[in-house]
Amino acid sequence: MPKGKGPQGKRITLKVAKNSVRVAFNGRRRLDLSKMGIATFPKCILELADVEELDLSRNMLRKIPNIIEKFQNLMWLDLHSNQLDELPAAIGTLKNLTYLNLCNNKLTTKGLPEELTLLRNLRTLNLGLNCLETLPTTFGTLRELIELGLFDNSLTLIPKSVKKLPKLERLNVKRNPLPEFAEEEEPIDTVKRIESLYLVEKKDLCNSCLETCQGERDKLHKLEDVTPGPSKKPSFPSLTTPNSTAMENQEEWRIK
């Protein structure tokens, strides 16, 4: 391996790529190169740049080149579980993109290009399991977003522009050091707990202690009087069901 270079990974040929094209349930053509051990973006797949979906997840990619802009038909792009620490500005040219999964990479806030906000048709964006410390306020321009994953980062603030996205239904910010999601302190138990219990006979108590015990017992009895007892289970003896004893009426029950 040349000095200063990362792992070369598996080399993908055009033949391998062509054999990896599948038709998804939605009728789109998906180029599935996931779990291939790829460390460098394979330029040969530019010959298949007319696919609607591209899956490069679970590889060893450290960089996505600007030639990604050749995939203008892309509606679905999965890059999760790679080694990416930044995205190319050219990703903003993929105007048809509705789904973008960048989960489980090494993306930093600096590695998110401003052009990412040009993806105005984006409905699902997953940035979970990365190294984000802040989120650009310009993400508020992604007004078609329905799902946004930000879990397992280092975020201390979610911009109001993001919280107020008009179509946002699912926002996952779990396991971030966000003040509003800080664990509440354990509530103080105001109920007094007894540590010791002594049993004595009534005849051994002095008059003062006997009166105190009698008063506490009377209070307990009053509470028992106002506590509602278990409600009786309602019964419906006239209700006809197909599995009841009224077997002869089953056909009539079904007609009803």
Side-chain angles (χ1 to χ4, degrees), residues 200 202 204-216:
V200 295
K202 187 176 180 180
D204 296 326
L205 293 174
C206 64
N207 290 334
S208 176
C209 292
L210 187 61
E211 290 177 2
T212 301
C213 291
Q214 183 65 44
E216 294 297 327

Side-chain angles (χ1 to χ4, degrees), residues 135-137 139-140 148 158-165 168 171:
L135 200 65
T137 57
F139 269 30
L148 178 58
I158 304 297
K160 291 183 179 179
S161 60
V162 173
K163 291 180 179 179
K164 294 182 178 181
L165 284 169
L168 193 62
L171 175 61

Side-chain angles (χ1 to χ4, degrees), residues 1-162:
M1 181 187 302
K3 187 177 180 180
K5 292 189 176 181
Q8 296 302 303
K10 183 178 178 181
R11 183 172 179 269
I12 300 297
T13 64
L14 180 58
K15 181 179 180 181
V16 170
K18 285 182 176 179
N19 290 335
S20 300
V21 176
R22 302 284 185 271
V23 178
F25 289 112
N26 51 20
R28 302 174 190 163
R29 289 177 307 140
R30 177 182 298 180
L31 175 53
D32 187 352
L33 296 177
S34 62
K35 297 181 291 185
M36 290 279 197
I38 303 171
T40 305
F41 189 88
K43 293 183 179 180
C44 67
I45 66 174
L46 292 177
E47 297 290 333
L48 303 169
D50 58 345
V51 295
E52 292 85 16
E53 300 187 356
L54 176 60
D55 189 349
L56 287 167
S57 66
R58 289 169 284 186
N59 282 297
M60 299 181 292
L61 292 169
R62 294 180 179 273
K63 184 179 181 180
I64 300 296
N66 276 315
I67 56 175
I68 191 71
E69 65 185 2
K70 301 294 183 181
F71 291 80
Q72 285 298 305
N73 290 337
L74 275 189
M75 302 178 70
W76 190 94
L77 177 59
D78 195 343
L79 297 170
H80 87 265
S81 302
N82 278 286
Q83 304 290 321
L84 303 174
D85 58 9
E86 63 177 358
L87 296 174
I91 199 166
T93 66
L94 306 179
K95 301 297 178 64
N96 292 316
L97 213 58
T98 61
Y99 175 95
L100 179 58
N101 191 352
L102 297 164
C103 176
N104 194 21
N105 277 285
K106 297 180 179 181
L107 291 170
T108 62
T109 304
K110 187 179 179 180
L112 298 179
E114 186 178 347
E115 288 79 4
L116 196 61
T117 60
L118 297 176
L119 302 177
R120 301 299 172 83
N121 289 313
L122 208 57
R123 288 167 173 75
T124 299
L125 175 60
N126 192 346
L127 287 166
L129 281 166
N130 277 288
C131 307
L132 303 177
E133 295 183 349
T134 58
L135 200 65
T137 57
T138 51
F139 269 30
T141 61
L142 300 174
R143 301 181 66 81
E144 294 298 317
L145 267 187
I146 298 174
E147 298 180 82
L148 178 58
L150 299 171
F151 53 92
D152 292 286
N153 278 285
S154 300
L155 298 170
T156 57
L157 177 69
I158 304 297
K160 291 183 179 179
S161 60
V162 173

